[in-house]
Each structure stands twice: as C-alpha cells, then as structure tokens.
Amino acid sequence: MPLFRRAKKAAVPADTGLPVPPWCPFGPAEWQDFLALLNNLFLDGEGSDQPMRFGAEQHLQLGIGSGIPLDLAELALLVRPLPRAQWREAAVGHLNGLLELGDRRRALHQAGYEEVGPLLLPRVVPLRTVAEDFALVRPLTEDLAVVLVVRVDGDRSSPVPASQFRAWNVDGDEVWALAERNLAAEPVVRDDSGAANPMVSVTCETGFTCTHLLRAGDLLGRPAPLGILAMVPHEGFLYFQAVDGPDLHSQLVGYSTVTLDNWEQAPLEQRLTPKVLWIHEGAIEAVGVEPAPAGSGRPGVITGSASFIAMLSSFRPPDPEH
C-alpha cells in the first residue's frame, strides 16, 4: 500500500508519454521509472488505482493541509545515483524526515521566547514571498525583505507567525537584536582575492549565505566610507566589495552582468534579486544598470538614489559635449 497521500486537488488523470519537466535531472527512461516510484508512494486522494500525473509542478504538499513542502527535484537528485531497487527505501526515508521536520516546526511555533531565542535568525527573502502572518518584516529593497525566522533543522527555517510573537509580549527591537546576534555567531567561510580592495565572497553551510549581506560591513575587513557594492542573485551567493574611486562605473556594469547571469541560472525558488546593491550608512538600495548596446559607443545607463548618482558622477569626467 502506498505510504503517503497528496491533497485531493493534486490528483489528475495520467497522460501518456509525459515529457520530462525542466526541473527534473532525468532522461526519458529514468523519468518513467521516477513516475512509477511517485505513484507507488502516493495515493490519488480517492483510493483508486488510477495513476497520477506528475511533472507540471515541482513542489507538492505532503498530506492534506499539513503544509509540508516536497521538492520533487530534490527527491530525484537523492535517488538518481542509487540502484533502482533502493529508490523506494531512500524516498520513504526522505519523506519521513520531512514529516518529522513538520512536527518540529509546529512545536517550535508554540514555544516561548526563552525556548526558541537561540534559534531565532533574520533571513533575507524575496519581498514577493512575505505573507501577512509573518511576525516581523523589514523591507530592504523593491525586491528583498528581511523576516524573522526560527531554525527548524540545519538549513531549514520557518517564519515566526504573528500570533506566536504576540504571545511572547517582547519588544520587536529586542527580538531583532537577538536574531542579529545569532546571525553574527553563524560560522561562515570568507574568501577574498588578497588585493588592496578585495572582492569578498562569503558562504555559510547552514543555508544563510545571502543573509550575511546584513553583516557585509563587518565581514569586509576594511573601511568603506563610500559604501559597499554587493551581489545576492540567489540564496547561496554573496559577493561584495568596497566602493573605491573612478572604477565604480565599469565595476557596476561588470557586476550587473554577473548578478543577472547567476540570477537567471538559479532555480526559481532560490532567486533573490538580479540587481547590484549599494550598502551605505545602514541602508541598502538596488542600483539599476542598463549596458549600452555593443558597438554603440554610448555609456550604459545607471539609475539609483540621488546620493548614489552624485557619488558616481564625481568619479566621471564631465562630458565635453555638455
């Protein structure tokens, strides 16, 4: 008997010759075997033996109303290197682990402030993913926000619900301060080029790489009176460098290309922003860069706040035609 049940709305009749979806790492033959595995694991919600259709959606929900997400691409990558005979055992172990995480998440969402305090962290997320029931939210740019989360396990976290925050009866600034201290204690790997003004890369094995954007000033390792340029195209990518003189225009054009390329190549659910960021005096803003067409001889168009454009203009010689 299959072990898991999907929500009824997800059960639809099977098609013949379903193509391999873009998110799947399998070829056609492996895809058919993977479909058979999924149908072996899940019921169709009505108790029939009719095969289900998979592929249109990469992310499913385990159980009816449980809210536990299942990434089929992650599951496919898990079983792919294994012999077919071991696929089901590995998949069942993975799904059971997700359900256990769901139980832990529900328990943490009922816990008091002192209990979950060491697990509270800020997290940089796409602004479009912020929901009304998130307890604490700070907008960063037109694309990004910071939300208060509780670490569930390893790199998995969950936004603290507003109802839980209200039950704590604790000032929001105090909670943010604790979360930021917890972030500062997270182990990171910092690498730079060794130049006088190095490009710094930061990675964090616990899944909070992008959020260390909030600590860029501390992690840079040198003064940055003109601010810092940063790139966070997706969750696992963080590069930054101090603004330093006349190379700013060319740096922006180059960094914009790098950021956009990495944003486009990232899975949709991991994308953050395709724009270069400027960190200055405690604020973060997105800088627009539109490179000039190749061979046009014209400069690219850069947009930003008045203070950013004024700084940029101070590094460029006046246009002799004006």
Side-chain angles (χ1 to χ4, degrees):
M1 176 180 292
L3 298 181
F4 301 92
R5 180 184 295 273
R6 287 178 63 200
K8 181 176 180 180
K9 65 179 182 180
V12 294
D15 285 351
T16 58
L18 282 174
V20 180
W23 53 260
C24 187
F26 290 142
E30 291 176 309
W31 169 238
Q32 294 303 315
D33 290 342
F34 190 60
L35 285 176
L37 170 69
L38 295 176
N39 273 288
N40 183 260
L41 293 171
F42 292 93
L43 291 172
D44 66 5
E46 296 179 347
S48 74
D49 294 325
Q50 186 177 30
M52 297 165 58
R53 178 181 179 182
F54 293 92
E57 297 181 8
Q58 177 180 341
H59 298 91
L60 307 178
Q61 179 175 299
L62 287 179
I64 299 176
S66 69
I68 307 302
L70 169 64
D71 184 340
L72 292 180
E74 183 180 6
L75 181 62
L77 289 171
L78 172 70
V79 303
R80 186 181 185 187
L82 302 175
R84 297 292 193 278
Q86 297 178 18
W87 277 20
R88 190 175 190 279
E89 180 182 0
V92 168
H94 179 70
L95 296 176
N96 279 329
L98 291 178
L99 292 172
E100 290 172 2
L101 285 175
D103 292 340
R104 174 168 168 77
R105 184 187 68 181
R106 284 188 287 273
L108 288 172
H109 282 176
Q110 300 298 319
Y113 180 59
E114 292 185 359
E115 180 180 350
V116 299
L119 302 175
L120 296 177
L121 288 157
R123 185 147 208 165
V124 173
V125 299
L127 187 59
R128 58 180 168 75
T129 65
V130 174
E132 292 183 0
D133 63 343
F134 288 8
L136 295 177
V137 179
R138 288 180 172 174
L140 283 184
T141 70
E142 62 266 33
D143 295 329
L144 303 175
V146 181
V147 300
L148 179 70
V149 302
V150 58
R151 169 175 281 137
V152 178
D153 182 74
D155 63 350
R156 299 181 187 272
S157 63
S158 178
V160 173
S163 58
Q164 182 179 23
F165 171 66
R166 290 193 296 268
W168 292 343
N169 195 28
V170 179
D171 180 74
D173 289 341
E174 177 183 334
V175 177
W176 276 124
L178 174 59
E180 290 165 357
R181 291 196 298 272
N182 290 342
L183 179 70
E186 289 283 290
V188 298
V189 177
R190 179 189 179 280
D191 192 18
D192 65 55
S193 62
N197 181 28
M199 170 66 73
V200 178
S201 70
V202 173
T203 54
C204 176
E205 293 184 358
T206 56
F208 284 75
T209 290
C210 63
T211 301
H212 288 281
L213 169 73
L214 306 177
R215 303 178 54 216
D218 295 331
L219 293 170
L220 182 63
R222 58 159 292 178
L226 299 177
I228 300 171
L229 296 181
M231 297 176 279
V232 283
H234 59 76
E235 294 176 354
F237 189 112
L238 172 57
Y239 280 69
F240 50 84
Q241 183 179 30
V243 175
D244 189 17
D247 292 334
L248 178 57
H249 187 278
S250 59
Q251 286 174 338
L252 279 170
V253 173
Y255 296 166
S256 177
T257 300
V258 171
T259 305
L260 180 59
D261 287 348
N262 280 274
W263 181 82
E264 291 177 337
Q265 294 169 18
L268 289 174
E269 69 276 7
Q270 295 182 17
R271 291 180 180 179
L272 290 176
T273 178
K275 296 182 179 180
V276 177
L277 305 179
W278 182 46
I279 307 170
H280 184 57
E281 296 183 345
I284 301 176
E285 71 169 87
V287 179
V289 180
E290 182 180 345
S296 68
R298 301 196 307 270
V301 177
I302 296 175
T303 56
S305 65
S307 57
F308 182 83
I309 296 302
M311 179 186 67
L312 177 65
S313 299
S314 71
F315 295 138
R316 295 175 60 83
D319 190 332
E321 297 181 2
H322 296 279

